[in-house]
Amino acid sequence: MPTDTAIKQNIEQARQRITAAEERFGRSPGSVELLAVSKTQPASAILTAVEQQQYHFGENYLQEALDKIGALQACAITWHFIGAIQSNKTRPIAEQFDWVHSVSSLKIAKRLSAQRPASRADLNICLQFNVSDEASKSGLSFEALAALASDVEALPHLKLRGLMAIPQKTGDVNQQRAIFHRVKQAQQYLIDAGHPLDTLSLGMSADLEAAIAEGSTMVRIGSAIFGPRATTAH
Ligand SMILES: *Cc1c(COP(=O)(O)O)cnc(C)c1O
């Protein structure tokens, strides 16, 4: 694990990469949020990041996330769930998180809606759009996505914010951009269909520049901040 100093330097570097990409691709300054992905990292590493004014954190594994949310209650952290959702485990997600990026079915959305405490602000939702570099064979069509968006918007205690995608890794920047572009097109399709989405959760440590070039508003950065993860943890 990197030292506290290294984590802080890595956050500064990630911010600089975001700022540089915003400038280079004609994006407004500050239009891209840094989401620090803290899965497999201890609460102490998150605390170090908070000291560097990082307040948005993404977690993938529910139990581990709940432990850290409990331990860090004194911090003004905005928690994002970005992992696979099991339908029998939606309640703690609905109760404890501020955002969920990985909603891909109405069934899950309905459960989150029903289980979101009325005392909390609406749960921010991104629909996960599956894209692969073999064009877009898997996943929902734009039309199906729009139908899901309409259904989700009708549910109480949820606020539909945008789309999230996790493309297959490729080192080819043009390919990265082509895939991200497809997600941007999906967002535009939904906006044109009357869904006012303001969020595109796109880009990770290795491809954040390509994502920002194509319109990302939130990059999810793990290893570039906290160092490489142990691969066998889950
Ligand atoms: C782990 C993870 C990330 C962060 O990936 P890095 O390559 O470490 O930046 C981003 N998004 C999701 C959905 C993840 O699971």
Side-chain angles (χ1 to χ4, degrees):
M1 216 187 97
T3 62
D4 288 2
T5 310
I7 289 173
K8 291 181 181 183
Q9 282 170 350
N10 289 343
I11 289 172
E12 279 314 307
Q13 256 167 33
R15 288 177 180 153
Q16 282 162 19
R17 277 175 73 185
I18 290 169
T19 303
E22 284 171 347
E23 276 171 21
R24 174 162 168 218
F25 298 110
R27 302 287 308 280
S28 320
S31 57
V32 181
E33 186 88 58
L34 171 58
L35 176 58
V37 176
S38 44
K39 64 179 175 217
T40 80
Q41 307 299 335
S44 59
I46 296 177
L47 208 51
T48 302
V50 169
E51 285 168 9
Q52 199 66 15
Q53 284 77 53
Q54 174 64 35
Y55 298 109
H56 286 265
F57 291 89
E59 290 281 345
N60 294 58
Y61 308 113
L62 188 55
Q63 190 50 56
E64 175 200 319
L66 295 174
D67 292 345
K68 289 183 254 183
I69 292 172
L72 295 166
Q73 246 156 23
C75 301
I77 291 175
T78 301
W79 293 102
H80 299 243
F81 192 79
I82 62 172
I85 304 173
Q86 290 172 260
S87 61
N88 60 339
K89 299 221 175 120
T90 47
R91 183 176 295 281
I93 298 176
E95 289 176 350
Q96 303 288 337
F97 282 82
D98 303 292
W99 285 71
V100 183
H101 291 227
S102 40
V103 173
S104 54
S105 73
L106 184 57
K107 180 185 174 195
I108 294 287
K110 279 183 170 164
R111 293 181 66 91
L112 292 171
S113 167
Q115 294 167 341
R116 180 67 168 174
S119 58
R120 295 203 55 168
D122 288 352
L123 183 60
N124 294 293
I125 299 290
C126 291
L127 302 178
Q128 184 168 350
F129 183 54
N130 291 319
V131 277
S132 73
D133 53 358
E134 300 124 31
S136 49
K137 284 178 209 144
S138 65
L140 298 174
S141 67
F142 286 8
E143 293 77 9
L145 202 57
L148 179 57
S150 297
D151 290 341
V152 170
E153 278 171 339
L155 296 172
H157 309 304
L158 303 184
K159 183 164 175 50
L160 183 63
R161 297 296 298 270
L163 298 180
M164 184 273 248
I166 316 172
Q168 272 180 6
K169 287 205 168 71
T170 162
D172 177 343
V173 174
N174 290 326
Q175 221 176 343
Q176 289 170 359
R177 285 193 60 166
I179 296 166
F180 290 140
H181 188 68
R182 177 114 185 115
V183 187
K184 176 72 191 175
Q185 284 180 321
Q187 185 201 30
Q188 193 58 53
Y189 180 91
L190 291 175
I191 290 171
D192 293 345
H195 308 285
L197 306 185
D198 62 10
T199 300
L200 216 43
S201 168
L202 278 187
M204 318 205 313
S205 295
D207 56 16
L208 73 89
E209 284 82 6
I212 291 172
E214 297 300 336
S216 171
T217 65
M218 206 179 278
V219 290
R220 308 181 307 266
I221 308 300
S223 51
I225 292 176
F226 297 110
R229 289 177 294 274
T231 48
T232 53
H234 292 269

